Amino acid sequence: MGEQLFNWDGADRPRNDTAKGDVSPVEQSLRGEILRVVFASDDGEYVVVRLRSGDLAEHTLVGALGGLLEGQEIEAKGRWETHKDHGRQLRVSEFRALLPTTEEGIRRYLASGLIHGIGPKYAERIVAHFGVETLTVLDNYSERLREVPGIGKKRIAEIRSAWEKQSDQRDIMVFLQGLGLTPAYCARIIARYGVASAEVVRRNPYQLAEEVHGIAFLTADRIARRLGIEAEDIKRLAAGIVYVQERLADRGHTCYPRESLLEEAAEILDVAPEHVAEGLERALLNGSVVAEVPAAEGGDPLIYLRRLWAAERELAAAVRALLRGGSEAVQVPRNALGGGFQRLNETQRQALFAAFQSGLSIITGGPGVGKTTVVGEIVGTARKMGAHVLLAAPTGRAAKRMSEATQLEAKTVHRLLRWDPASGSFQHNQERPLHCHFLILDEVSMLDVSLANDLFCAIEPGTRVLLVGDQDQLPSVGPGAVLHDLIASGRIPVTHLTEIYRQDENSRIVSNAHAVNRGDMPDLHPVPTSMLADFYWLEQDEPEHVSELIARMLTERIPKRFGLNPMRDIQVLAPMNRGNCGAVSLNERLQSALNPGPKPEFSFGDRRFRAGDRVMQTVNNYDKGVFNGELGRIAGVDRAAKTFQVAFDSAAVEYEWHEADQIRLAYAVTVHKSQGSEFPCVVVPLLTQHYMMLQRNLVYTAMTRAKKLLIMIGTRRALAIAVRNDRPMMRCTRLAWRLQHD
């Protein structure tokens, strides 16, 4: 079927020729002068330089060497490798910047534009006069610059001021770069701590992980090792406990049993368990983490990051307050029910009345069961009763769908709460709550504990709240299992919609998604090539063939056969980032296929961004008003200003190049990142190389993202593994327990 529809013959297979050749097994050191910078990525994370060593031999160095100047001397450490095209080169793991010591090196160093007032012409004159003593003169005897023809008092003052300013920063930069930090990170540290930067880093490098954007524990740990800080140092152990807890939060846990935490921390930090226990005690003492002992006598304490402990407790209190505040049921008059009420099935009608009878209620169910239909009737009924209704969803796309279904404006949760950059907090909170009679929140499975807490604490007492979501989808990307826990608590009225409400008789997307959710294999039989279907299964077991087939489908087959725009209508959803059929590799291939150059572009590390690229924001940036999961297109690249602009659905946002760590190419995204979104066409690779992520709820979530066309490519074996695997990793949370124990 797939071969007939898409004319796939496996031709034009790309060669795998990325081997680097021989690599030295041990690191070696090399010292010398930078002759020229051959190539530098825009963020300095990948640089190629030519270096002349003391024996006058020339060498090629590659690595994170940003900020180096011609004429500068460095001492670098790395491994020699033989590149198939470029020959022998040193792949640098760390380097230390030194001041040049030769006349030629000093001349090139000053001519680089580093010092305001000294260009190539004056650099030549100054070095010709003072020789190798030039830098000593600039440091201690700048008045002697009068001896150089053409340099007057005004220029000397400019040079002295610039040199002194640069000298202070230079010493700090040399120190920080000597610890293996890139110039970009050095600049962030200096911006944060100023002249105290070196002292702060020497005293406690782990402070950087808490206070400097982009520097995480592992980077701070490498700095600490170079400073001679021992693995068992209590500062490392306490910071390490926080790091391990953050990793657990990334896996969805709000808390973790103490003994299990110590086991994981001992392995990750590579120290004995008794030392890790000391680190935990220090972290508890300084308040970074919190211990909570379960009610059962002798129970293993549960350890929280303080922010998650506070969020979970406050959320539980806010939910209890909503339940108490809506204890008086509101009777719905018959004349308030819209014409669509008669078309609702009995369960849907129960959901409607439950929304008015409780301060907080939940509607859950899979695709096609009429959740949107019920919400539309509830909104219409509430407005006929004179209620002020607010609608919200975690993502912009989900909010847009909600607006289209109800004919009423829906906002993202972040925009509903209104972030204030000046105060660094939401404008709507417990002191300044949202004013409405009815709040309806869709796609609640995406809501993590922190955002849920911000929202619920901003709801005015007496407001009726309806939560809508699919409890069988993947849980939120952030920590917590809010929808699951609210349902599991047994304290909140829940309506489970199960009857498929409306579906095209020829549609297989909804029926196959429900089959997978039940634990059954979907219907994979082919359809006649003369027909257009909405579901296709393409059997293919070779990852490289799958990757190439996806590129050919997006560029040729799907647009031609279905009239869909690959840059607007088609989304590839991968189970994971890694692998040649993971999101990262697929993005590289699809960028070349769908948005080739030449166009304005820039590089960030090993990634290249180009005008026109599809991208996704991967972190919440409250100052810019753009949030995790939002999709957009790069609208422009300004190389002179080193900025780029992204057009999101909500607004156009400008970034500096170093902020590109906040975005990813989005021709392909992981299934987790697709939550809350729907696309006209979804393409899903499903192979055994994705084994670690082959779970029923992941495949179910991917399938339910498709509105008109779903194409799955892979092996029946991988699909069967996922369908059978109904044991996704349980998240350790206490929200349900808190709601059950007032």
Side-chain angles (χ1 to χ4, degrees):
M1 179 279 302
E3 295 175 352
Q4 293 173 317
L5 174 61
F6 295 107
N7 192 27
W8 164 244
D9 57 11
D12 305 321
R13 188 185 312 167
R15 295 180 296 111
N16 181 11
D17 58 356
T18 58
K20 296 176 182 174
D22 297 331
V23 180
S24 170
V26 295
E27 287 196 334
Q28 299 179 29
S29 295
L30 185 67
R31 179 170 178 160
E33 176 190 332
I34 303 296
L35 294 178
R36 64 183 178 277
V37 178
V38 179
F39 170 80
S41 65
D42 299 307
D43 63 344
E45 291 297 312
Y46 184 78
V47 180
V48 180
V49 302
R50 290 289 287 173
L51 176 141
R52 181 167 55 204
S53 58
D55 59 3
L56 302 184
E58 292 189 13
H59 308 277
T60 299
L61 279 63
V62 299
L65 299 164
L68 291 181
L69 302 168
E70 293 184 3
Q72 194 167 13
E73 291 190 10
I74 66 167
E75 185 174 36
K77 182 183 291 186
R79 287 184 169 85
W80 289 103
E81 63 184 28
T82 304
H83 192 279
K84 65 180 181 63
D85 294 325
H86 306 299
R88 191 167 184 260
Q89 58 189 27
L90 185 72
R91 183 164 293 276
V92 176
S93 59
E94 57 187 68
F95 75 94
R96 182 165 63 96
L98 308 169
L99 287 175
T101 56
T102 66
E103 287 191 16
E104 178 63 15
I106 294 170
R107 183 191 63 76
R108 286 146 59 93
Y109 180 64
L110 295 181
S112 66
L114 179 72
I115 308 301
H116 180 68
I118 302 180
K121 180 177 69 173
Y122 284 109
E124 183 73 41
R125 292 181 185 178
I126 292 170
V127 175
H129 188 80
F130 296 113
V132 294
E133 300 299 320
T134 296
L135 300 186
T136 301
V137 170
L138 289 172
D139 273 334
N140 304 300
Y141 312 106
S142 57
E143 282 298 320
R144 290 191 59 194
L145 290 173
R146 291 184 180 182
E147 302 171 14
V148 180
I151 297 184
K153 289 183 178 181
K154 183 178 180 181
R155 186 170 295 275
I156 290 174
E158 288 180 355
I159 293 173
R160 179 189 296 121
S161 175
W163 181 257
E164 289 175 352
K165 181 178 179 181
Q166 191 273 342
S167 181
D168 291 339
Q169 184 166 314
R170 182 192 68 218
D171 292 342
I172 297 173
M173 288 286 284
V174 167
F175 169 72
L176 295 177
Q177 286 184 322
L179 297 175
L181 287 163
T182 66
Y185 284 145
C186 294
R188 292 181 193 180
I189 292 170
I190 292 171
R192 177 70 176 79
Y193 303 113
V195 294
S197 296
E199 180 185 352
V200 169
V201 173
R202 287 192 186 97
R203 185 177 65 246
N204 183 10
Y206 297 102
Q207 188 174 336
L208 302 178
E210 300 176 16
E211 299 176 350
V212 179
H213 171 68
I215 296 184
F217 172 82
L218 294 180
T219 300
D221 205 33
R222 287 195 295 271
I223 296 170
R225 285 200 302 274
R226 298 201 63 176
L227 289 170
I229 294 175
E230 298 292 336
E232 293 82 11
D233 187 282
I234 194 66
K235 293 190 295 292
R236 176 178 189 264
L237 297 173
I241 286 292
V242 174
Y243 166 66
V244 174
Q245 282 279 175
E246 291 284 4
R247 283 174 52 129
L248 292 167
D250 289 341
R251 282 158 45 185
H253 303 292
T254 60
C255 57
Y256 213 63
R258 179 182 184 276
E259 292 306 314
S260 298
L261 169 64
L262 294 179
E263 289 176 11
E264 293 218 18
E267 181 177 352
I268 292 171
L269 301 178
D270 195 22
V271 295
E274 58 269 22
H275 293 307
V276 177
E278 295 171 7
L280 175 57
E281 292 307 312
R282 173 63 67 89
L284 288 167
L285 189 63
N286 65 32
S288 302
V289 298
V290 175
E292 193 170 82
V293 180
E297 189 66 30
D300 190 16
L302 294 169
I303 309 300
Y304 283 84
L305 290 169
R306 176 169 287 278
R307 60 182 172 83
L308 296 181
W309 174 73
E312 193 177 86
R313 292 175 72 235
E314 291 168 9
L315 174 57
V319 169
R320 289 195 296 267
L322 278 175
L323 291 171
R324 288 193 299 268
S327 56
E328 184 177 342
V330 175
Q331 297 303 316
V332 180
R334 179 64 58 178
N335 61 7
L337 297 172
F341 178 79
Q342 299 302 322
R343 294 190 292 272
L344 299 182
N345 63 38
E346 186 57 33
T347 309
Q348 291 172 321
R349 293 181 182 184
Q350 292 173 11
L352 184 148
F353 289 120
F356 292 92
Q357 291 167 354
S358 175
L360 176 63
S361 61
I362 297 173
I363 298 175
T364 185
V369 297
K371 297 191 299 294
T372 301
T373 300
V374 177
V375 169
E377 289 299 318
I378 292 172
V379 169
T381 300
R383 297 186 73 186
K384 285 183 179 180
M385 295 169 62
H388 175 39
V389 181
L390 290 179
L391 306 179
T395 68
R397 285 176 174 253
K400 185 178 180 181
R401 290 202 317 273
M402 207 176 185
S403 296
E404 292 169 350
T406 62
Q407 302 303 305
L408 185 66
E409 181 189 17
K411 298 180 179 179
T412 64
V413 175
H414 293 91
R415 292 188 174 92
L416 180 71
L417 298 179
R418 298 177 61 193
W419 179 259
D420 178 17
S423 63
S425 61
F426 287 115
Q427 291 186 28
H428 288 295
N429 48 42
Q430 200 162 14
E431 286 72 39
R432 297 184 59 194
L434 295 163
H435 296 300
C436 65
H437 300 107
F438 219 122
L439 172 64
I440 303 176
L441 182 70
D442 199 6
E443 295 286 358
V444 181
S445 61
M446 296 184 62
L447 210 58
D448 63 49
V449 68
S450 297
L451 186 56
N453 177 52
D454 288 329
L455 175 61
F456 276 75
C457 286
I459 297 174
E460 192 171 35
T463 303
R464 297 197 177 275
V465 178
L466 171 63
L467 306 179
V468 184
D470 186 347
Q471 65 175 337
D472 295 320
Q473 286 188 22
L474 289 169
S476 58
V477 174
V482 173
L483 180 59
H484 173 274
D485 288 351
L486 292 176
I487 294 173
S489 73
R491 299 292 302 274
I492 302 162
V494 180
T495 304
H496 297 267
L497 302 181
T498 57
E499 181 181 341
I500 297 179
Y501 188 65
R502 186 166 53 198
Q503 177 186 342
D504 188 310
E505 61 180 8
N506 295 317
S507 172
R508 290 199 293 166
I509 294 176
V510 172
S511 59
N512 276 336
H514 280 279
V516 167
N517 198 33
R518 292 193 305 268
D520 298 331
M521 284 289 285
D523 176 7
L524 304 181
H525 78 264
V527 297
T529 56
S530 59
M531 293 178 55
L532 284 183
D534 69 348
F535 176 89
Y536 294 92
W537 170 262
L538 281 69
E539 186 76 21
Q540 179 57 256
D541 62 357
E542 174 57 47
E544 185 60 36
H545 290 185
V546 172
S547 176
E548 184 178 352
L549 175 55
I550 289 173
R552 293 180 64 179
M553 283 196 303
L554 266 65
T555 54
E556 303 170 20
R557 311 304 184 213
I558 297 175
K560 182 178 179 180
R561 180 82 170 172
F562 297 93
L564 296 174
N565 184 325
M567 295 293 284
R568 183 186 64 237
D569 303 326
I570 308 172
Q571 183 63 59
V572 178
L573 300 183
M576 57 200 298
N577 278 307
R578 297 189 302 274
N580 47 4
C581 272
V584 174
S585 292
L586 287 171
N587 270 318
E588 292 177 358
R589 182 184 285 269
L590 294 174
Q591 182 190 45
S592 298
L594 296 173
N595 191 33
K599 291 182 178 180
E601 60 181 33
F602 68 99
S603 58
F604 184 85
D606 58 356
R607 290 175 287 150
R608 187 165 292 278
F609 295 100
R610 186 174 293 143
D613 274 338
R614 289 182 62 173
V615 294
M616 173 181 279
Q617 178 79 11
T618 60
V619 296
N620 291 332
N621 188 320
Y622 296 100
D623 294 336
K624 295 183 185 295
V626 59
F627 305 103
N628 189 2
E630 291 198 48
L631 291 165
R633 296 273 294 276
I634 295 183
V637 175
D638 188 334
R639 295 195 61 83
K642 294 189 175 182
T643 61
F644 63 100
Q645 298 78 39
V646 178
F648 294 100
D649 288 341
S650 57
V653 178
E654 183 167 282
Y655 298 78
E656 295 182 19
W657 281 355
H658 69 80
E659 295 177 307
D661 59 350
Q662 300 180 24
I663 65 168
R664 295 288 186 273
L665 291 175
Y667 300 98
V669 301
T670 62
V671 179
H672 282 84
K673 286 291 189 181
S674 74
Q675 289 172 263
S677 296
E678 282 187 349
F679 310 93
C681 173
V682 167
V683 179
V684 184
L686 209 61
L687 298 160
T688 52
Q689 73 168 217
H690 302 132
Y691 184 83
M692 292 298 294
M693 298 301 296
L694 293 181
Q695 298 171 350
R696 184 186 301 176
N697 61 354
L698 181 136
V699 174
Y700 172 71
T701 300
M703 296 174 76
T704 56
R705 301 307 91 201
K707 291 177 64 177
K708 298 179 180 178
L709 178 62
L710 172 62
I711 300 170
M712 303 180 73
I713 312 170
T715 66
R716 291 173 187 251
R717 179 168 179 263
L719 179 58
I721 290 171
V723 171
R724 289 195 302 266
N725 182 13
D726 193 29
R727 299 184 304 277
M729 184 186 71
M730 297 302 295
R731 296 185 168 190
C732 186
T733 71
R734 298 198 85 201
L735 178 59
W737 180 89
R738 294 183 194 281
L739 292 173
Q740 292 164 349
H741 299 79
D742 290 347

